[in-house]
Amino acid sequence: MGKGPAHAKPSGPVPPAADAIPAVDPRLLVREQGFAGYLNEFGRKLKAGDLGSVPVVLGLIIIWSIFQSLNSHFLGPENLTNIAITMTATGMMAVGIIFVLLLGEIDLSVGSVSGVSGAIVAVLAVTHGVNEWLAVLAAIAGGALIGCVHGFFFAKIGAPAFAVTLSGLLFWSGAMLQILGSNGTVNIDSEGVVGKLTTYFFSDVAVGYGLAALATAAYFLASFSDARRRAAAGVPSRPLGEIMLRTGLLAVFTFGPAIVFNQYKGMPLAVLLFLVALVGTDFLLRRTSFGRQVFALGGSVEASRRAGINVNRVRITVFAIAGTFAAIGGLFWASKIAAANQSAGAGDLLMNVIAAAVIGGTSLFGGRGRTWNALLGVMVITSIQYGLALEGIATPIQYMITGAVLLATVVIDSVTRKTQKTAGRA
């Protein structure tokens, strides 16, 4: 039988029916409604449990308001600068542990690894006279190698990360004591590379303001370029008005700290390095295939494996990153106390590192978080510590309050996940 016209296949796309309703991207509807649209979208996210950084930002505002009312010096330039410098060590370590938490795992060894890092750089540079830059590189490389070892036992051998890193906590604490030797303390040159990490300030006011202007301009240009590229491709893009508003808000958060720092000693080197680490790791997580693989593993290991992701490689790399940042944090702690001693990495350091990541908004259940959460979380913890110290509150009470804040954050995280499941967004 011959094929008539009724059996011919269409050569092009089938046109939509006359009464068909075209699909519209919901982001376009939000932007078309202007401010009211964004307000409605914000309310919808809150109802769905998508709180983002709202709780921690509100909490930080409340904390600062309470301590400022109790002591007028709390929000002074000197105290805020000291808070910013102190939080960099814990913050650096929190950046690394966020990668592990995104997998839904935990690393209990970061405190002891930071102690080993400080011991290595102190013994090499001071006791053995090795060039301090080489000692710093050796300490950081040692942290990365330790992380790889932990990742190997977790990924390749299949041992639980909790057990592996708990063993690491004990092993590396002993290694630190062995490296430091019988004296137990090695003082670090305050004018050396490590010593200046937390003591050096860019006294020229142009540095702080220039960095703020550079960050603001870079954000505007990147956002504007991205919007033009998306508009040319016919996909939803931010209008110029929204970009300008976001840029203005960013300017407040960049020039504000610059003004505060310049009223004291200038831009601290420690804060600048911490911000560079945050920007770099945020780019790694959000703009690279490796970052997408980390989030995928946090969502489902089996689905990631079936999608062709090298699960073992990603896991080992993540623990190596955690070890690297633990070592960097150890260098900042050694700089802060101008020494490497037996108490390094002990006490409440591990608790504060994990608390900073979780309080900042990183989920303990994996798959949700950003490295910027480390900044928010460590600001909350350090602000509480400094505020209570100004009021002469005893250390045990500080521990209790910090623990209560962490518990409240975990409860909020759990409730948020349940709400998202109810709303079908998990």
Side-chain angles (χ1 to χ4, degrees):
M1 295 178 62
K3 293 183 179 180
H7 299 281
K9 295 182 179 180
S11 58
V14 179
D19 57 347
I21 300 176
V24 180
D25 192 307
R27 291 173 295 182
L28 291 177
L29 296 177
V30 170
R31 288 164 181 159
E32 287 176 357
Q33 295 171 6
F35 179 76
Y38 283 102
L39 191 62
N40 292 334
E41 175 69 5
F42 179 72
R44 185 191 65 78
K45 287 184 176 181
L46 289 181
K47 291 180 180 179
D50 190 3
L51 301 178
S53 300
V54 173
V56 66
V57 172
L58 292 178
L60 189 61
I61 293 174
I62 294 172
I63 290 169
W64 282 7
S65 300
I66 291 175
F67 286 129
Q68 178 64 16
S69 66
L70 296 174
N71 192 316
S72 60
H73 295 291
F74 180 78
L75 292 181
E78 181 178 358
N79 192 59
L80 289 179
T81 300
N82 289 334
I83 289 176
I85 294 174
T86 301
M87 73 183 192
T88 54
T90 304
M92 284 290 193
M93 298 169 67
V95 168
I97 210 166
I98 283 175
F99 281 81
V100 179
L101 292 177
L102 287 175
L103 296 182
E105 302 296 339
I106 193 68
D107 188 346
L108 301 177
S109 68
V110 291
S112 58
V113 173
S114 71
V116 169
S117 167
I120 289 175
V121 75
V123 170
L124 286 179
V126 178
T127 306
H128 298 289
V130 176
N131 179 276
E132 194 169 3
W133 280 108
L134 292 178
V136 168
L137 292 176
I140 296 176
L145 180 60
I146 291 173
C148 286
V149 171
H150 294 164
F152 172 81
F153 281 103
F154 168 57
K156 292 287 189 179
I157 306 301
F162 178 89
V164 171
T165 56
L166 179 60
S167 302
L169 183 154
L170 299 174
F171 183 89
W172 301 116
S173 293
M176 177 191 67
L177 299 178
Q178 185 68 28
I179 293 172
L180 289 174
S182 57
N183 291 331
T185 300
V186 178
N187 295 323
I188 293 176
D189 181 12
S190 59
E191 295 299 318
V193 176
V194 175
K196 288 186 177 180
L197 285 176
T198 57
T199 60
Y200 186 82
F201 294 83
F202 296 95
S203 57
D204 191 342
V205 297
V207 174
Y209 294 138
L211 290 173
L214 179 63
T216 305
Y219 174 82
F220 173 78
L221 293 175
S223 299
F224 183 71
S225 175
D226 181 66
R228 290 189 62 182
R229 179 178 57 83
R230 293 176 66 87
V235 296
S237 60
R238 290 194 177 103
L240 180 60
E242 181 183 344
I243 294 175
M244 295 293 292
L245 177 60
R246 288 172 175 264
T247 303
L249 292 175
L250 177 63
V252 172
F253 289 105
T254 54
F255 280 94
I259 294 173
V260 172
F261 293 145
N262 284 334
Q263 288 180 351
Y264 183 50
K265 292 183 178 180
M267 181 71 183
L269 173 63
V271 175
L272 177 59
L273 294 176
F274 184 34
L275 293 176
V276 170
L278 289 173
V279 172
T281 51
D282 182 68
F283 179 85
L284 177 64
L285 277 177
R286 298 175 61 236
R287 301 292 183 179
T288 67
S289 60
F290 172 77
R292 290 189 288 272
Q293 291 171 2
V294 172
F295 281 107
L297 255 65
S300 173
V301 175
E302 186 58 34
S304 300
R305 183 177 287 109
R306 293 183 179 183
I309 295 176
N310 189 329
V311 174
N312 290 341
R313 184 185 64 188
V314 173
R315 283 174 165 176
I316 293 174
T317 303
V318 163
F319 275 90
I321 291 173
T324 300
F325 277 97
I328 294 173
L331 298 180
F332 276 83
W333 275 120
S335 174
K336 182 68 177 176
I337 64 176
N341 56 36
Q342 295 178 342
S343 64
D348 62 343
L349 178 58
L350 174 61
M351 180 196 72
N352 286 339
V353 171
I354 297 175
V358 176
I359 290 173
T362 302
S363 175
L364 281 170
F365 303 97
R368 191 179 77 241
R370 294 181 60 182
T371 51
W372 287 98
N373 297 149
L375 173 62
L376 292 173
V378 78
M379 285 177 67
V380 170
I381 292 175
T382 311
S383 297
I384 291 175
Q385 292 173 341
Y386 266 74
L388 294 176
L390 285 176
E391 296 304 309
I393 305 298
T395 301
I397 304 300
Q398 296 183 28
Y399 286 172
M400 294 167 64
I401 293 177
T402 304
V405 172
L406 176 59
L407 176 61
T409 305
V410 174
V411 169
I412 291 175
D413 184 31
S414 299
V415 172
T416 297
R417 287 177 61 84
K418 290 181 180 179
T419 305
Q420 290 179 338
K421 287 181 179 180
T422 302
R425 292 173 58 88

